[in-house]
């Protein structure tokens, strides 16, 4: 069983920075994609950033140039560096791991528990 655990959320002022981490424990045979979603009150969950198994990154237009996602394969950890934060970035951020847990098993998505990011003006 793969279990992602997030950390790093909190309260920050406009223009500030935060770094989220998401460490996945358990068996991972191969990674198809990892990344981050967020959900603000009253809004649908949206994809913020993703990293493919080959290392290619994609970002939502709203965060391009401000957010950077990276992955440490040795630590099974994915990061989201968030700079120049605005109140519109306030949301619960969820990491996900889309992986093949064991050889021969199907691809599955595992979610972190979510971490609150609040940007105050």
């Amino acid at each position: 069983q793969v279990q992602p655990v997030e950390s790093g959320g909190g309260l920050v002022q406009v223009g500030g920075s935060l770094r989220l981490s998401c460490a996945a424990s358990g068996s991972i045979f191969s990674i198809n994609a990892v990344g981050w979603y967020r959900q603000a009150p009253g809004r649908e969950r949206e994809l913020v950033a993703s990293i493919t198994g080959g290392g290619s990154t994609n970002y939502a237009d709203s965060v391009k140039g401000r957010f950077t996602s990276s992955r440490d394969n040795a630590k099974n950890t994915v990061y989201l560096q968030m700079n120049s934060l605005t109140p519109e970035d306030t949301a619960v951020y969820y990491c996900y791991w889309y992986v093949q847990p064991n050889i021969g098993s199907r691809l599955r998505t595992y979610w972190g528990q979510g971490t609150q990011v609040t940007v105050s003006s």
Side-chain angles (χ1 to χ4, degrees), residues 84-101:
S84 303
L85 286 161
T86 74
E88 288 68 39
D89 297 314
T90 296
V92 178
Y93 285 70
Y94 300 88
C95 69
Y96 73 93
W97 289 70
Y98 185 45
V99 304
Q100 188 180 11

Side-chain angles (χ1 to χ4, degrees), residues 29-90:
F29 175 70
S30 68
I31 297 172
N32 185 279
V34 296
W36 301 86
Y37 278 77
R38 68 184 179 186
Q39 187 165 22
R43 300 183 66 176
E44 294 187 357
R45 187 175 293 195
E46 65 169 339
L47 179 64
V48 176
S50 63
I51 307 177
T52 67
S56 298
T57 55
N58 289 287
Y59 299 95
D61 288 343
S62 59
V63 306
K64 282 181 181 176
R66 301 187 298 121
F67 290 13
T68 303
S69 189
S70 59
R71 189 179 76 207
D72 186 330
N73 292 330
K75 295 182 179 180
N76 270 355
T77 300
V78 61
Y79 304 96
L80 184 67
Q81 177 66 44
M82 305 184 293
N83 299 327
S84 303
L85 286 161
T86 74
E88 288 68 39
D89 297 314
T90 296

